[in-house]
Amino acid sequence: MGGACFPEYINLSDSEVEQRVRKDLAAIMGITEAPSFVRIFRHHQAIPQYTVGHGKRLAALAEKGQAHPGIFLTGNSYRGIGLNDCVAAAIRTSDEVIVHLQKH
Ligand SMILES: Cc1cc2nc3c(=O)[nH]c(=O)nc-3n(C[C@H](O)[C@H](O)[C@H](O)COP(=O)(O)OP(=O)(O)OC[C@H]3O[C@@H](n4cnc5c(N)ncnc54)[C@H](O)[C@@H]3O)c2cc1C
């Protein structure tokens, strides 16, 4: 819960978080039983936000990167946040690393 759309949620108390989650579970899935245990983790600014201009920033990074062969960037800050995007990006990047190492 929370995220970039509801940043204030991170400041809710544990009991308020639990209450809201249980309310959602009841409404969405019909689950009304009390949980056996509850763990709450707060991740501040957990997920990069691709704001307007992200494409241009990526292009600028790629251009500047040409002056620094051997440095490779990958991860959720660039071309996709989901795990599947990150895995695909990591595979592409590791292929680029292999090509670089074979050349040098
Ligand atoms: C709460 C939450 C829920 C999510 N839910 C989903 C979901 O349901 N489905 C989905 O597809 N995606 C989800 N995501 C998004 C996805 O999990 C992330 O975008 C993705 O895991 C990021 O992968 P990454 O490799 O870029 O970064 P990470 O997985 O964060 O990997 C970065 C690694 O670098 C290490 N590291 C950091 N600094 C250093 C350093 N100085 N030296 C050495 N190592 C360092 C860290 O320890 C970490 O292991 C979620 C993300 C969050 C935060």
Side-chain angles (χ1 to χ4, degrees), residues 43 46-47 74-77 81-84 86:
H43 301 277
I47 296 182
T74 195
N76 64 1
S77 301
I81 289 157
L83 276 175
N84 51 344
C86 293

Side-chain angles (χ1 to χ4, degrees), residues 35-101:
S36 307
F37 66 90
V38 175
R39 299 273 189 281
I40 295 170
F41 300 91
R42 289 178 175 76
H43 301 277
H44 294 263
Q45 298 189 316
I47 296 182
Q49 302 300 306
Y50 297 172
T51 54
V52 174
H54 186 70
K56 283 185 182 165
R57 285 190 286 276
L58 285 181
L61 266 177
E63 195 189 324
K64 288 189 186 298
Q66 287 175 4
H68 304 283
I71 292 182
F72 298 89
L73 301 174
T74 195
N76 64 1
S77 301
Y78 308 101
R79 292 190 164 76
I81 289 157
L83 276 175
N84 51 344
D85 296 315
C86 293
V87 170
I91 291 170
R92 279 197 305 274
T93 305
S94 57
D95 287 344
E96 289 169 20
V97 171
I98 290 167
V99 169
H100 174 81
L101 291 176

